[in-house]
Amino acid sequence: MSTPTKRAAVLGSPIAHSLSPVLHRAAYAELGLTHWSYDRFEVDEARLPGFVEGLDGSWAGLSLTMPLKRAIMPLLDSVSDTAASVEAVNTVIFTEDGRRLGDNTDIPGMIAALRERGVDKAESAAVLGAGATASSALAALSRICTGPVTAYVRSAARAAEMRGWGERLGVDVRIADWAEAGEALRAPLVIATTPAGTTDELAAEVPERPGTLFDVLYEPWPTALATRWSARGGAVVGGLDLLVHQAVLQVEQMTGRSPAPLSVMREAGERALAQS
């Protein structure tokens, strides 16, 4: 009797750059899941409902990237507390009885990536930026930071958003203007959530004895800030660390196999980035 094919994929727009297929396929190969496939599909918010409705019983799960993390939620039967806390789903599991379950592995992925570098707790922290990733950063900090979190933002609207997320997540969020972002680098834990190039201007302001930097970018890598941080002896967690740790959790949920091969997935990601 042949083993039925199982399918999974990452959806988003744009999606061509996604490393998810590389990571998940490496995990499948290591786990001997030769009947599993993982693809990528260009899907925007308008096409999402039709795409999901058209999936058959061979589908085990989906990974969601922007702009679909919130748009997927009305299409699900249930959403985990973690995903609900930031109103963002990056993982959908299809159960054998046809239900669609939503989760967010970005938040535990952040925590796992920090733990891998020896960061289990922080007395205070700074967040650079106030976009969607910043809300996940606050959710992660709600579990490991015992003191205030200062968010460095560019506008009053972004400041209001971060205050709102802080209240919702139980985090003592304090707001500072982006013009003062150099001060953020003195925090024991700094999470940079901004687009490529945004923090380059801060590299010259890295203190002599920096703490831990979590820069969520993975391409280009290393960033100017991460390079200077490492040169000063500070610990650096990168975007690939986050991507791999959240993908590990997705593989485990979708396949039911645990543990997923973290080192194999990271090596596959590193090779792909080196070739890009």
Side-chain angles (χ1 to χ4, degrees), residues 80-83 85 103-104 107-109 111 115 120-122 136-146 169-171:
S80 70
D81 291 342
T82 300
S85 72
D103 195 13
N104 185 309
I107 295 165
I111 294 170
R115 185 178 297 123
D120 291 305
K121 294 290 182 183
S136 291
L138 283 182
L141 289 170
S142 73
R143 305 183 188 185
I144 66 171
C145 186
T146 58
L169 295 164
V171 179

Side-chain angles (χ1 to χ4, degrees), residues 14-275:
I15 200 63
H17 68 286
S18 176
L19 279 180
S20 291
V22 171
L23 303 182
H24 285 252
R25 289 169 185 170
Y28 297 168
E30 182 68 14
L31 294 170
L33 299 176
T34 56
H35 58 294
W36 280 71
S37 67
Y38 189 101
D39 301 296
R40 63 165 70 90
F41 292 94
E42 182 84 16
V43 177
D44 58 18
E45 293 172 271
R47 289 188 56 208
L48 181 61
F51 184 94
V52 172
E53 291 299 331
L55 301 181
D56 62 23
S58 67
W59 284 82
L62 296 172
S63 306
L64 287 306
T65 186
M66 299 304 291
L68 305 179
K69 293 184 179 183
R70 186 169 293 179
I72 190 68
M73 295 180 72
L75 307 177
L76 304 176
D77 295 297
S78 67
V79 173
S80 70
D81 291 342
T82 300
S85 72
V86 291
E87 296 179 357
V89 165
N90 77 328
T91 307
V92 176
I93 305 300
F94 299 105
T95 65
E96 291 186 2
D97 59 2
R99 289 178 300 143
R100 305 166 185 164
L101 312 181
D103 195 13
N104 185 309
T105 64
D106 286 332
I107 295 165
M110 282 187 174
I111 294 170
L114 285 166
R115 185 178 297 123
E116 188 178 32
R117 295 296 192 275
V119 180
D120 291 305
K121 294 290 182 183
E123 294 181 358
S124 62
V127 175
L128 299 172
T133 305
S135 62
S136 291
L138 283 182
L141 289 170
S142 73
R143 305 183 188 185
I144 66 171
C145 186
T146 58
V149 176
T150 304
Y152 291 80
V153 302
R154 294 185 184 276
S155 70
R158 290 296 198 184
E161 287 179 12
M162 290 298 279
R163 284 196 190 94
W165 283 118
E167 292 174 4
R168 179 168 184 165
L169 295 164
V171 179
D172 178 10
V173 173
R174 302 175 184 183
I175 302 298
D177 190 88
W178 183 263
E180 304 170 12
E183 291 297 314
L185 310 187
R186 302 184 185 281
L189 173 58
V190 179
I191 303 182
T193 70
T194 51
T198 307
T199 61
D200 289 358
E201 63 190 25
L202 301 177
E205 299 186 57
V206 175
E208 287 189 10
R209 296 182 178 180
T212 299
L213 171 68
F214 193 158
D215 194 326
V216 302
L217 293 172
Y218 62 84
E219 194 174 19
W221 186 261
T223 62
L225 181 60
T227 297
R228 184 61 179 269
W229 201 278
S230 293
R232 286 288 176 92
V236 174
V237 184
L240 183 60
D241 297 312
L242 169 59
L243 193 64
V244 170
H245 276 284
Q246 65 83 28
V248 160
L249 297 170
Q250 289 185 335
V251 168
E252 291 174 352
Q253 290 190 38
M254 291 180 188
T255 68
R257 298 283 294 275
S258 182
L262 173 67
S263 60
V264 169
M265 295 168 70
R266 176 180 277 127
E267 290 165 6
E270 290 171 344
R271 286 194 301 271
L273 287 174
Q275 295 167 6

